[in-house]
Structure formats: structure tokens, C-alpha cells
Amino acid sequence: MKDIFIKIHPVNKVAETLMQLYPPMLANNYLPDWYKKQESYKRGDINTSSIANAWGFRKARKCPAMREVITQGIVIPAWSDINIIKNGNEWNWSIGASVHDDDVGGDIEYHNTSQIEGMELNVIDGYGILKLMSPYSFETPNGYGLEFQDPFYHVRRNIKILPGKVETDIWHSVNFPFEFYQDLNKLNRKHIFIKAGEPLVICNIYKKEKNKIDLQLQNYDSKYQEEVIDYQHIKSKSMSQSWTDYKENLK
């Protein structure tokens, strides 16, 4: 398997300093606190035995679907403190270290309500949806792009980055629109604060392919279900439900 490079460029010297202070990192080096604290048992440990399974439930970190999302890709931390304040009908927002010399909101801009019509997002009445202007640009090899999404499992529950895929082999500038978890318009006072260095965005590389998807809805197939059960037996009976060992066994 060959390595696929992802290059992240600062847009100027200020952004270079911020990148050095709060560097983007491979996701497996930026694991959520809860994930690191949960017990993890290796194959052969008493807690992986069928006897131990009768004593309690396995932790979330053992879920293969969660594990793949949490440990794959690149985490981009907040490059500055971010403040969004609502006081009555007044809104103010700012970002600690201004990189772009923008007139509206420093490094935070917005898409107006006409641009997001019908999307039913938690936004600011009269403005629309805010977006963070990235101090970085992104470069991938020809034929590859990046998918950006909110780092849900890192447990930041104030803003939610809208997911999107960018052909970063062609377009290198990427910004991050977001909605709020709450409808802040119904509140009199609210302070949203994101600390510099906290996980802000997670991105994963994808291969740009123009293959047409052929969706096939199947009738019940007993032979196929027997194959599924056989795989489950390998995983649960042979290797103590270790997803890592299970994948290795299938190679």
C-alpha cells in the first residue's frame, strides 16, 4: 500500500505560527478523552472471555464502526479562541487571532438566509449560518479529495460543522460553515466558546471516482445469511470478539 500525501499550507506567516501552536494531527494521535479512558482488553485477557461477557457489556471503544471513524483521518484543532455571544437581540462573534483581514466578523463570515432556504438549521435570525474562514489551504494528489465533518465523538456540543467533500486536488481553499446545537434565537443570553487547540474539524481522504452506483434491494437469501453467521462465529467464537484480530484473520 503506497502512502497518499495530504499537504496543509498556512495562508500566511500568522497562520504558520498558529499551525505550529495547534498543529493538525493524524486522528489516532488525537483521541477523545473518553475513548482513552475506557477499558480496552487484549485477546487472552480474562475480560475478553465468554465468561466475562456475562458479567457486563463491552465499552463503546470496542465498537468497530466508532473505532474506524475516531482513529482515521486528520483532526484540525481550533487555531484560535472562538467566541459567539448573544445578549438579548444583539449578536457578537470574534476569533482570537485574526488571519484574514475581513470586514465582517474577522475570521467568521456568514451565508445569508436565502442561501440556506429550507435547510432547517439552527442559525442566527437575520444573518443565516456562520462559517469559519480557514487559515489553511489543503492539497491532495490528483484524483483525491478531502471530506470534512464535525468531530462528533470528541464531544464538543456547541457548534456542528456541516459535512462536505472538496476536490482538494483542484480547489485548495476550504472554509467551515456550521450550525448550533440549540436554537439560540429562543434564548436571551448565550455564550458559545471554543478553546484554541480543541478538535474543530476532522477530515478524511477519498478517491474521486465517477462510478455509477447500482443500488440492488435483495430478497431474503438464506445462503447469504448463513455466510454472515459463519463470519460472526469466526469473530465471536474463535477470537473473543476482537475486531482487530478478526480483520487480520480475513487477510
Side-chain angles (χ1 to χ4, degrees), residues 6-31:
I6 300 174
K7 294 182 179 180
I8 303 179
H9 302 266
V11 298
N12 53 33
K13 293 298 290 185
V14 175
E16 181 180 66
T17 300
L18 296 176
M19 180 184 286
Q20 293 169 351
L21 287 172
Y22 313 108
M25 299 178 66
L26 295 178
N28 60 4
N29 295 318
Y30 220 129
L31 301 175

Side-chain angles (χ1 to χ4, degrees), residues 160-177:
K160 186 189 303 181
I161 302 295
L162 301 190
K165 297 172 74 171
V166 181
E167 297 181 65
T168 42
D169 58 340
I170 302 173
W171 314 108
H172 306 302
S173 177
V174 178
N175 298 308
F176 307 118

Side-chain angles (χ1 to χ4, degrees), residues 31-38 60-61 66 70 153-155:
L31 301 175
D33 287 340
W34 68 263
Y35 187 89
K36 291 185 289 186
K37 291 176 181 177
Q38 280 193 359
R61 68 170 291 163
M66 289 186 186
I70 292 170
Y153 289 114
H154 288 75
V155 199

Side-chain angles (χ1 to χ4, degrees), residues 14-191:
V14 175
E16 181 180 66
T17 300
L18 296 176
M19 180 184 286
Q20 293 169 351
L21 287 172
Y22 313 108
M25 299 178 66
L26 295 178
N28 60 4
N29 295 318
Y30 220 129
L31 301 175
D33 287 340
W34 68 263
Y35 187 89
K36 291 185 289 186
K37 291 176 181 177
Q38 280 193 359
E39 298 166 321
S40 179
Y41 305 115
K42 295 182 178 180
R43 187 177 175 191
D45 190 287
I46 186 174
N47 294 282
T48 63
S49 70
S50 59
I51 297 174
N53 288 341
W55 298 342
F57 296 100
R58 291 185 177 274
K59 305 297 185 180
R61 68 170 291 163
K62 300 298 291 184
C63 171
M66 289 186 186
R67 183 174 181 175
E68 293 293 319
V69 172
I70 292 170
T71 62
Q72 300 298 312
I74 295 171
V75 170
I76 302 169
W79 48 88
S80 295
D81 286 352
I82 300 169
N83 287 279
I84 303 167
I85 299 172
K86 181 178 189 289
N87 188 4
N89 294 322
E90 295 293 325
W91 287 85
N92 290 283
W93 52 81
S94 66
I95 193 163
S98 181
V99 177
H100 309 283
D101 189 20
D102 296 326
D103 294 327
V104 181
D107 286 326
I108 302 179
E109 293 190 358
Y110 65 92
H111 293 295
N112 63 45
T113 52
S114 66
Q115 294 176 283
I116 56 171
E117 184 177 357
M119 292 181 67
E120 298 185 5
L121 301 172
N122 285 325
V123 300
I124 299 177
D125 287 348
Y127 283 96
I129 195 165
L130 299 182
K131 66 176 178 179
L132 297 165
M133 309 301 291
S134 173
Y136 313 131
S137 61
F138 299 83
E139 180 185 0
T140 47
N142 184 39
Y144 291 88
L146 289 175
E147 182 174 9
F148 298 86
Q149 59 184 325
D150 191 79
F152 177 84
Y153 289 114
H154 288 75
V155 199
R156 191 202 65 239
R157 297 291 185 269
N158 43 26
I159 70 169
K160 186 189 303 181
I161 302 295
L162 301 190
K165 297 172 74 171
V166 181
E167 297 181 65
T168 42
D169 58 340
I170 302 173
W171 314 108
H172 306 302
S173 177
V174 178
N175 298 308
F176 307 118
F178 62 89
E179 70 164 328
F180 300 108
Y181 267 82
Q182 297 174 280
D183 183 356
L184 302 188
N185 298 291
K186 296 179 179 179
L187 303 178
N188 186 52
R189 293 175 63 86
K190 185 68 177 180
H191 181 200

